């Protein structure tokens, strides 16, 4: 894994601090070319990994990268799925079964509805695989060395204690895509325990890690302890806590935790991208 | 350990399942849903009893509390059954269709001294709690007007397949979306005595409104506007905002930030003259488990604490949700006076 990973929240109107900023960003990046321009800046300063959702615009980015293989020879995607709001809105609109029918093609839903307990678990996993494959279609032929489960899904499955799904996700990603499984979470300590129980060794986990403890369930001290004492590959996100901490202070804190493998950040301008990269290199 | 059961495993029920299952003081004993599919899928790794009939679950499981997340039309009978068995109740919003049911259940909860809470989670969002505090303290003087809005992209084409799309079941933008905003208004400003100019607009749905517009009027001279639309593609997810006008300032609050403008040269407490911005990162209290937003965990923790200490008073009580149901009823009556309410 690269030390520095570029994120995509800024392109899709995600801003944990301000809805106005989010809206302005979503206007600026309504055109995929505007996204590509920022990715080009990141690539030009040496950032090679792009961590992204499976938003429709990402499919266009993928097309562009595929069409220019020489130019983007080292470009790596770290896709995170499922794109939660797409499914949540679909469930409100069409119901749980309706939403599944919409996203899972074929007759498998019918089988599940008719099936008994033994059939159901197996088919849940079959459905999950189909959902992954559907979301992965846009990345065909591109480098996706780590495939992530998004935090809403990870944390839902974590709360539900559905270990079998974690194992199945991990196996499917390894077998079918020759990729490593990764997990986004807001509940790092709890997830680590569960993944250990699942036998998923040295997992890649991307979670909020920042100096003020924002979105770090269990608290900053517990996070620091599990990072120090456990064998896993942590990726830090929300390091600036949506701007509540200055970049210098934020990155100094992260880079001092030597166990943290990678840092993911999003930015929209050359100045911010360069500044963040320089600070990471300075403190690492 | 508090013994808990969940009735209804739809979108909210499953989310509550995950949150309560992770709570250190709660033991999830049983779940109930009419669909075997969901029950089977969930319970392979959890030692939870499953039921298709909530009455059997309540009769057999000796529960301390239940979380009810079924369609609104079924709330009243389930709450009544649970409370008659002395079980504390957390129920999803909206509370009840029928105002008589709502009043009876509010009284039943009081008589039996049972914890009674409704899932209006905006009351657990740090920014809105801070807004309430500032308004109570008179930070912006006398409040005289507000605009409460929520937008999202739930229904973007014609479809009528689920209970959320049926008025009789408690669906539609009014019950599903606008009720949150109405409850927020009731929390921050208070319930209106009268509403006028209400429009329930069906944009894509056949049976229910996709947008709700109205004017709220208060006996003390306050007024406000409500604008809610769940067919707005420009919003990635539900976004709620309230703007409150006072005689010495203005507050604009959403989930992320509270922007306060003060006229007075002296400011107010730590707030200065002019614009002040308070961020969610400073206003949000940590939770033990995070799923979709701190407020979902915070409201469940609040409920659990009240069950443990047997305190029936709470900020999201049946009584308060009933006031929101009454406002919804005012909107329906007002809209019913005109014939352009549909289409």
């Amino acid at each position: 894994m690269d030390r520095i990973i570029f994120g995509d929240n800024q392109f899709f109107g995600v801003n944990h601090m301000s809805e106005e900023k989010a809206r302005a960003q979503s206007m600026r990046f309504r055109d995929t070319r505007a996204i590509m321009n920022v990715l080009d800046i990141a690539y030009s300063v040496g950032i090679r990994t792009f961590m992204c959702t499976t938003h429709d615009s990402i499919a266009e980015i993928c097309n562009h990268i595929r069409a220019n293989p020489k130019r983007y020879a080292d470009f790596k995607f770290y896709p995170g799925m499922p794109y939660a709001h797409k499914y949540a809105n679909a469930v409100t609109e069409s119901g749980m079964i309706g939403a599944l029918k919409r996203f899972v093609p074929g007759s498998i839903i019918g089988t599940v509805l008719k099936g008994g307990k033994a059939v159901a678990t197996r088919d849940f996993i079959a459905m999950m695989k189909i959902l992954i494959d559907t979301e992965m279609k846009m990345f065909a032929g591109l480098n996706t060395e780590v495939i992530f489960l998004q935090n809403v899904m990870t944390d839902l499955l974590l709360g539900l204690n559905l270990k079998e799904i974690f194992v199945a996700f991990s196996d499917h990603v390894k077998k079918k895509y020759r990729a490593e499984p990764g997990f986004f979470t807001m509940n790092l300590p709890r997830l680590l325990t569960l993944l250990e129980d699942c036998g998923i060794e040295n997992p890649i986990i991307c979670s909020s890690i920042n100096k003020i403890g924002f979105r770090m369930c269990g608290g900053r001290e517990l996070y620091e302890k599990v990072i120090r004492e456990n064998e896993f590959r942590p990726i830090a996100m929300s390091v600036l806590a949506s701007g509540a901490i200055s970049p210098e202070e934020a990155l100094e804190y992260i880079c001092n935790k030597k166990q943290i493998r990678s840092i993911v950040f999003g930015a929209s301008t050359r100045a911010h991208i360069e500044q963040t990269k320089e600070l990471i290199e300075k403190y690492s | 350990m508090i013994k808990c059961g969940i009735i209804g495993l739809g979108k909210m029920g499953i989310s509550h399942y995950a949150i309560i299952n992770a709570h250190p003081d709660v033991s999830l004993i049983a779940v109930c849903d009419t669909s075997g599919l969901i029950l089977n899928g969930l319970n392979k790794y959890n030692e939870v009893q499953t039921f298709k009939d909530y009455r059997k679950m309540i009769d057999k499981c000796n529960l301390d509390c239940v979380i009810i997340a079924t369609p609104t039309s079924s709330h009243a009978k389930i709450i009544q059954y649970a409370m008659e068995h002395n079980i504390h109740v957390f129920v999803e919003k909206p509370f009840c269709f029928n105002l008589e049911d709502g009043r009876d259940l509010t009284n039943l909860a009081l008589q039996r001294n049972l914890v009674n809470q409704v899932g209006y989670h905006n009351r657990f969002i740090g920014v809105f709690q801070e807004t309430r505090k500032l308004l109570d303290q008179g930070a912006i003087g006398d409040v005289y007007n507000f605009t409460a809005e929520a937008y999202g992209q739930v229904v973007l084409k014609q479809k009528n397949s689920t209970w959320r799309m049926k008025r009789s079941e408690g669906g539609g933008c009014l019950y599903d979306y606008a009720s949150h905003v109405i409850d927020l208004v009731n929390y921050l400003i208070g319930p209106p005595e009268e509403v006028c100019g209400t429009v329930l607009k069906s944009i894509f749905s056949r049976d229910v409104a996709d947008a709700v517009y109205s004017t709220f009027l208060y006996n003390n001279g306050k007024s406000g506007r409500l604008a809610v639309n769940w067919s707005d593609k420009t919003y990635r997810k539900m976004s709620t905002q309230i703007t409150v006008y006072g005689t010495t300032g203005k507050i604009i609050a959403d989930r992320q930030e509270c922007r306060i403008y003060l006229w007075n040269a002296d400011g107010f407490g730590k707030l200065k003259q002019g614009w002040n911005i308070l961020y969610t990162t400073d206003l949000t209290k940590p939770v033990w488990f995070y799923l979709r937003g701190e407020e979902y965990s915070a409201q469940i923790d609040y409920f659990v604490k009240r069950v443990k200490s047997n305190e029936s008073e709470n900020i999201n009580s049946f009584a308060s949700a009933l006031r929101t149901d009454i406002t919804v009823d005012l909107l329906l009556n007002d809209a019913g006076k005109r014939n352009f309410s549909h289409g």
Side-chain angles (χ1 to χ4, degrees):
Chain A
M1 285 197 301
D2 291 339
R3 175 70 172 159
I4 303 176
I5 297 171
F6 201 62
D8 77 340
N9 268 353
Q10 71 279 17
F11 300 139
F12 301 118
V14 185
N15 188 300
H16 301 301
M17 201 78 123
S18 154
E19 302 213 351
E20 211 165 272
K21 265 185 216 152
R23 188 155 44 240
Q25 286 169 337
S26 124
M27 284 177 188
R28 183 179 153 194
F29 294 111
R30 69 178 161 222
D31 187 345
T32 315
R33 267 174 303 182
I35 299 178
M36 206 55 238
N37 287 342
V38 177
L39 290 179
D40 280 339
I41 295 171
Y43 197 75
S44 73
V45 303
I47 297 171
R48 294 289 176 262
T49 307
F50 178 42
M51 185 180 256
C52 60
T53 50
T54 52
H55 195 280
D56 292 340
S57 326
I58 297 293
E60 292 175 42
I61 302 287
C62 291
N63 290 340
H64 182 76
I65 304 289
R66 243 189 315 263
N68 299 281
K70 275 193 192 141
R71 173 147 193 224
Y72 299 109
D74 305 326
F75 200 102
K76 281 180 280 189
F77 286 91
Y78 280 10
M81 60 194 60
Y83 184 57
H85 294 295
K86 185 167 73 183
Y87 292 100
N89 287 333
V91 170
T92 304
E93 195 186 335
S94 317
M96 202 74 80
I97 307 295
L100 279 174
K101 277 186 188 158
R102 222 155 97 188
F103 292 108
V104 182
S107 61
I108 191 158
I109 296 289
T111 318
V112 170
L113 287 175
K114 280 181 240 145
K117 185 162 181 158
V119 185
T121 314
R122 196 184 66 211
D123 285 347
F124 261 112
I125 287 167
M127 268 191 309
M128 184 204 64
K129 287 181 185 171
I130 294 170
L131 288 173
I132 296 171
D133 294 346
T134 310
E135 303 238 4
M136 280 303 290
K137 269 194 189 125
M138 65 173 80
F139 300 102
L142 297 167
N143 183 351
T144 53
E145 62 177 31
V146 189
I147 298 172
F148 285 85
L149 201 58
Q150 275 289 9
N151 58 286
V152 174
M153 188 53 76
T154 304
D155 291 333
L156 179 69
L157 296 172
L158 173 65
L160 299 174
N161 197 30
L162 291 175
K163 292 181 188 142
E164 200 167 51
I165 308 273
F166 284 97
V167 174
F169 171 78
S170 179
D171 289 347
H172 187 62
V173 157
K174 279 184 198 158
K175 269 186 210 145
K176 175 137 189 184
Y177 298 97
R178 295 171 194 279
E180 290 215 58
F183 304 90
F184 286 97
T185 184
M186 300 294 177
N187 306 284
L188 171 66
R190 181 181 285 269
L191 179 68
L192 255 178
T193 311
L194 179 130
L195 292 179
E196 206 167 277
D197 289 350
C198 292
I200 297 174
E201 284 171 10
N202 196 17
I204 296 170
I205 304 179
C206 184
S207 66
S208 298
I209 306 177
N210 54 64
K211 208 179 172 177
I212 61 166
F214 180 60
R215 297 264 153 88
M216 295 164 70
C217 278
R220 198 184 90 180
E221 281 172 18
L222 183 59
Y223 267 58
E224 288 173 350
K225 184 171 182 284
V226 300
I227 290 169
R228 242 185 354 255
E229 295 175 2
N230 289 270
E231 200 194 343
F232 73 111
R233 286 168 284 173
I235 302 176
M237 64 174 177
S238 296
V239 294
L240 303 176
S242 288
I245 319 167
S246 77
E248 181 109 24
E249 195 185 348
L251 292 164
E252 184 179 8
Y253 170 79
I254 295 294
C255 296
N256 278 336
K257 310 259 163 302
K258 296 300 171 202
Q259 296 88 346
I260 295 175
R261 291 286 186 96
S262 304
I263 297 158
V264 54
F265 79 98
S268 309
T269 63
R270 177 176 286 275
H272 273 135
I273 294 170
E274 286 177 346
Q275 182 205 24
T276 309
K277 186 169 181 278
E278 279 161 20
L279 284 172
I280 294 173
E281 283 161 358
K282 176 178 163 191
Y283 288 111
S284 288
Chain B
M1 293 290 259
I2 303 282
K3 283 178 281 181
C4 181
I6 299 177
I7 303 165
L9 293 174
K11 188 167 84 172
M12 289 314 297
I14 289 180
S15 164
H16 289 312
Y17 186 132
I19 290 170
I20 202 103
N21 202 31
H23 197 291
D25 301 335
V26 180
S27 170
L28 184 63
I29 301 283
V31 292
C32 172
D33 195 88
T34 48
S35 154
L37 166 73
I38 305 291
L39 290 177
N40 290 342
L42 281 179
N43 290 305
K44 194 171 161 65
Y45 276 95
N46 297 310
E47 286 171 21
V48 175
Q49 297 178 60
T50 58
F51 294 88
K52 286 196 170 181
D53 183 337
Y54 66 89
R55 284 164 296 209
K56 281 192 185 138
M57 179 178 101
I58 287 170
D59 293 347
K60 282 189 180 167
C61 293
N62 192 24
L63 300 168
D64 297 310
C65 62
V66 286
I67 293 175
I68 301 169
T70 55
T72 314
S73 59
S74 63
H75 284 176
K77 61 176 195 246
I78 303 176
I79 296 169
Q80 186 172 353
Y81 196 81
M83 290 205 152
E84 281 172 352
H85 288 75
N86 288 317
I87 292 173
H88 303 289
V89 171
F90 177 102
V91 62
E92 259 312 319
K93 46 61 59 173
F95 177 36
C96 288
F97 269 145
N98 184 317
L99 299 181
E100 274 314 303
D101 286 345
R103 286 189 190 101
D104 291 347
L105 294 169
T106 304
N107 289 333
L108 181 63
L110 288 176
Q111 280 162 16
R112 301 214 167 206
N113 193 32
L114 291 165
V115 182
N116 53 100
Q117 191 176 331
V118 181
Y120 284 114
H121 50 75
N122 278 329
R123 294 181 185 228
F124 290 88
I125 290 177
V127 174
F128 293 136
Q129 290 173 335
E130 185 67 18
T131 304
R132 163 82 186 252
K133 209 161 81 188
L134 290 169
L135 292 175
D136 285 351
Q137 292 168 344
I140 59 165
D142 294 328
V143 169
Y144 62 87
N145 188 264
F146 65 85
T147 300
E149 305 159 276
Y151 306 101
Q153 51 164 304
V154 176
V155 177
L156 298 174
K157 53 180 182 260
Q158 277 177 341
K159 232 175 205 174
N160 285 293
S161 50
T162 83
W163 68 268
R164 286 176 201 274
M165 299 300 137
K166 291 191 188 105
R167 211 202 125 181
S168 59
E169 298 288 308
C173 178
L174 176 61
Y175 289 107
D176 209 59
Y177 242 53
S179 65
H180 274 300
V181 190
I182 295 163
D183 186 72
L184 182 64
V185 168
N186 290 353
Y187 173 55
L188 296 176
I189 314 282
E193 275 80 24
E194 209 183 313
V195 301
C196 66
T198 306
V199 175
L200 300 179
K201 173 74 181 163
S202 299
I203 304 164
F204 299 110
S205 302
R206 199 173 54 225
D207 295 338
V208 295
D210 295 311
V212 179
Y213 306 103
S214 186
T215 300
F216 287 17
L217 301 172
Y218 295 76
N219 287 346
N220 56 14
K222 271 182 233 169
S223 64
R225 278 175 302 156
L226 176 79
V228 182
N229 180 347
W230 77 358
S231 298
D232 183 343
K233 203 169 163 48
T234 62
Y235 288 82
R236 194 174 61 95
K237 57 177 181 176
M238 185 180 188
S239 302
T240 304
Q241 178 174 288
I242 186 162
T243 305
V244 187
Y245 291 86
T247 48
T248 59
K250 166 177 164 178
I251 295 180
I252 307 169
D254 59 35
R255 201 194 171 290
Q256 321 292 354
E257 59 184 4
C258 183
R259 284 167 285 175
I260 308 134
Y261 187 93
L262 298 183
W263 295 12
N264 289 339
D266 304 339
F268 185 88
K270 285 182 184 167
L271 302 174
K272 298 188 177 79
Q273 185 188 22
W275 281 111
N276 298 264
I277 305 182
L278 306 175
Y279 292 106
T280 183
T281 37
D282 298 323
L283 299 172
T284 305
K285 293 185 197 91
V287 290
W288 82 98
F289 181 74
Y290 180 101
L291 183 67
R292 297 162 65 215
E294 285 87 356
E295 62 272 25
Y296 297 99
S297 303
Q299 66 173 357
I300 292 295
D301 187 51
Y302 183 88
F303 176 65
V304 169
K305 284 204 173 104
R306 258 135 206 85
V307 171
K308 277 171 81 177
S309 58
N310 210 3
E311 264 176 85
S312 62
E313 262 303 298
N314 85 61
I315 65 161
N316 246 348
S317 63
F318 286 181
S320 115
L322 176 62
R323 286 194 289 275
T324 297
D325 286 348
I326 290 170
T327 308
V328 168
D329 200 56
L330 288 176
L331 292 173
L332 283 168
N333 284 332
D334 186 48
K337 289 177 196 157
R338 294 165 202 85
N339 54 14
F340 59 75
S341 58
H342 282 282

